[in-house]
Amino acid sequence: MDRARLRRLLDSEIEESARRNPRSRSAYERAGHLFGKVPMTWMNKNAGTFPLYLDGAHGARVSDIDGHEYIDFCLGDTGAMAGHSPAPVVEAVERRYRDRGGATAMLPTEDAEWVGAELARRFGLPRWSFSLTATDANRWAVRLARAVTGRRKILFNSYCYHGSVDESLIVVGEDGRGAMRPGNVGAPCDVALTSRVAEFNDLAGLERELAEGDVAAVLMEPALTNIGIVLPEPGYLEGVRELTRRHRVLLINDETHTFSAGPGGCTGAWDLEPDMLTIGKAIGGGIPSGGYGLSAELADRLLGRADLDLVDMGGVGGTLAGNALSVAAMRATLEHVLTDEAFFHMSALSQRFEEGVRKGIESSGLPWSVSRLGARTEYRFASPAPRTGTESAAVADAELEDFLHLWMANRGVLMTPFHNMALMCPDTTDADVDTHTALFADALAELAG
Ligand code: PMP
């Protein structure tokens, strides 16, 4: 790749973005009372020099305050996988919040049992508890795992992401041992005290760590989705289950992103048998929601422990968790929007997207790869596709990524910041996918000169 050419192309897209978006640019310049000028500091992760400001969003479309409309393949990095403001969720939210009233009254609603039963049908775990984020679902799952096993450490895959869970910010260091993930802000202690780490797809490494006897649980995505998509090799997930059982370690599947694989995520699609499962983001159709599921045996063991305070000060729970509004939104999303049929449609579109990207890569001759997990597709600047998180992290290319993101955004297509990821929702169309395919081919031609 001609780096000087890439830099010139990126600069010209940055200029074009500033020209196209005077209102967003000015809103950002004026922001003085926000830490980092944005409502959440990660919103500074944008390919240009300012974020686009949201005006509205419906289905697979987002519009900004400069009056542009975008085909949205970002979909809130999965929070809007059901599409933006899907009608059944709007109705359920209005019914709960306006008509009946009461978002958060410290009382259960009957919707919760419906949602628990539906999640049990999809993921195979019979007992559920709710949160408002996937991060909290993971935090609480980790605590329960430590409590029930009496062991202190949690094992993660290198370059995983499970939210801002302290224990998970670990990578395989240069000496092959667990090390702090670079950039970790205000870590409470050395992560090696709380955690162990193995590479994804490395059963020997996992076995070595579990043999130490101090691991309560393995918390993992069945496919990595936050460092590109890294798919499991044949036999890997079976091996993880066999090793965790042999070492009496709980297995927790985080399906927050891998939910894209189907109505029951990878767990449903691949007949996985975790002891716990965590999820967030998409299941509330954009209304803050999340939860964790447990096997009956694990739930009974936990509830049978008189020494564990699951009701009051035990560190598992939040005031607004499981609130009536969140649960109503989850019910509407699961019952009417992210249905089995919707996943079928989304997966077919994603396959079309993948084929379009593959053709673009092949005709450009670039050594890139593309991977898909149901409704989610991601391309990576390496071929063959990386097989571990560390390998995938090593081929990141911020300048190239920024160029491709801005190239798309300046032409009406949004990709996911932090990723080269495209997600399909029930409202995405073939034409949306084909627009991306054409723009992708144009971008590669431009790069080649
Ligand atoms: N788990 C996974 C697999 C994720 O990708 C993320 C966020 N990208 C989280 C958990 C955390 O989600 P949230 O920030 O909504 O709590």
Side-chain angles (χ1 to χ4, degrees):
M1 174 145 315
D2 178 346
R3 300 302 302 195
R5 181 173 177 81
L6 169 61
R7 186 66 242 176
R8 271 198 314 280
L9 288 172
L10 174 56
D11 286 343
S12 105
E13 292 302 323
I14 288 173
E15 238 172 75
E16 172 61 7
S17 166
R19 191 197 60 74
R20 260 171 65 90
N21 301 292
R23 287 189 62 182
S24 283
R25 186 159 42 94
S26 146
Y28 185 64
E29 276 163 12
R30 280 182 282 116
H33 293 91
L34 301 174
F35 178 46
K37 296 172 81 69
V38 278
M40 178 66 236
T41 48
W42 58 251
M43 288 185 192
N44 278 317
K45 175 78 178 174
N46 54 77
T49 51
F50 56 91
L52 297 174
Y53 278 60
L54 174 71
D55 178 37
H58 287 283
R61 292 287 183 282
V62 161
S63 55
D64 70 16
I65 61 171
D66 283 286
H68 306 118
E69 190 179 78
Y70 299 86
I71 300 168
D72 186 15
F73 290 115
C74 165
L75 295 170
D77 192 10
T78 310
M81 189 167 79
H84 293 286
S85 300
V89 182
V90 172
E91 281 158 32
V93 165
E94 283 181 353
R95 206 160 46 239
R96 168 46 62 193
Y97 196 67
R98 189 187 54 204
D99 303 346
R100 305 191 84 80
T104 182
M106 295 188 91
L107 299 171
T109 54
E110 289 172 316
D111 283 337
E113 172 60 20
W114 189 97
V115 175
E118 176 62 8
L119 292 172
R121 181 187 77 78
R122 291 177 181 229
F123 294 107
L125 291 162
R127 306 276 188 273
W128 287 84
S129 191
F130 299 115
S131 64
L132 295 181
T133 65
T135 300
D136 270 347
N138 283 327
R139 284 201 181 108
W140 302 339
V142 159
R143 278 178 168 261
L144 293 174
R146 281 196 296 249
V148 80
T149 61
R151 295 177 181 179
R152 206 162 53 128
K153 292 189 178 174
I154 309 295
L155 185 137
F156 296 90
N157 289 130
S158 196
Y159 285 95
C160 65
Y161 189 71
H162 298 283
S164 52
V165 176
D166 291 317
E167 292 89 338
S168 67
L169 297 170
I170 188 167
V171 294
V172 174
E174 272 168 22
D175 59 359
R177 308 176 73 87
M180 294 282 208
R181 182 141 178 183
N184 186 352
V185 177
C189 61
D190 181 348
V191 72
L193 292 174
T194 63
S195 312
R196 291 188 175 276
V197 64
E199 293 289 359
F200 195 79
N201 278 324
D202 176 12
L203 288 173
L206 177 65
E207 178 155 33
R208 205 168 46 239
E209 295 296 316
L210 296 190
E212 297 291 332
D214 54 3
V215 174
V218 170
L219 170 50
M220 65 182 290
E221 292 188 285
L224 296 182
T225 66
N226 283 293
I227 189 79
I229 293 175
V230 180
L231 295 170
E233 292 177 340
Y236 172 63
L237 295 175
E238 292 83 345
V240 170
R241 187 62 277 198
E242 195 275 313
L243 284 174
T244 45
R245 284 201 172 119
R246 191 180 337 141
H247 291 275
R248 290 181 293 111
V249 171
L250 297 171
L251 176 61
I252 309 171
N253 279 358
D254 181 345
E255 290 273 14
T256 302
H257 276 185
T258 50
F259 189 23
S260 66
C266 291
T267 299
W270 300 339
D271 291 328
L272 305 179
E273 294 177 356
D275 303 290
M276 275 195 259
L277 186 147
T278 58
I279 191 163
K281 299 200 188 188
I283 54 168
I287 301 294
S289 311
Y292 58 88
L294 309 105
S295 68
E297 191 250 326
L298 184 57
D300 290 347
R301 263 166 77 197
L302 282 160
L303 292 170
R305 284 271 299 270
D307 60 319
L308 300 182
D309 182 357
L310 294 169
V311 175
D312 192 357
M313 288 300 294
V316 181
T319 314
L320 274 79
N323 75 70
L325 187 68
S326 169
V327 172
M330 284 192 270
R331 177 173 184 163
T333 305
L334 295 171
E335 191 168 8
H336 301 296
V337 190
L338 289 178
T339 57
D340 294 8
E341 303 79 64
F343 273 98
F344 189 75
H345 166 74
M346 289 150 62
S347 212
L349 282 170
S350 197
Q351 197 175 347
R352 187 183 182 97
F353 188 99
E354 180 191 24
E355 282 159 12
V357 169
R358 183 164 290 124
K359 267 192 210 131
I361 292 173
E362 277 168 9
S363 46
S364 73
L366 284 164
W368 296 1
S369 54
V370 55
S371 302
R372 184 170 72 88
L373 191 63
R376 173 188 307 274
T377 307
E378 178 141 357
Y379 47 87
R380 204 77 191 149
F381 309 127
S383 180
R387 46 180 298 283
T388 70
T390 302
E391 274 177 34
S392 198
V395 299
D397 185 332
E399 214 170 42
L400 186 50
E401 213 166 270
D402 282 355
F403 164 69
L404 289 164
H405 277 74
L406 268 188
W407 172 274
M408 294 287 168
N410 286 339
R411 291 156 184 79
V413 169
L414 290 184
M415 301 289 286
T416 314
F418 304 96
H419 298 265
N420 304 310
M421 192 273 280
L423 190 63
M424 309 295 141
C425 74
D427 306 285
T428 313
T429 64
D430 282 352
D432 295 341
V433 169
D434 295 346
T435 300
H436 173 273
T437 301
L439 284 174
F440 185 71
D442 291 349
L444 298 196
E446 196 65 32
L447 276 171

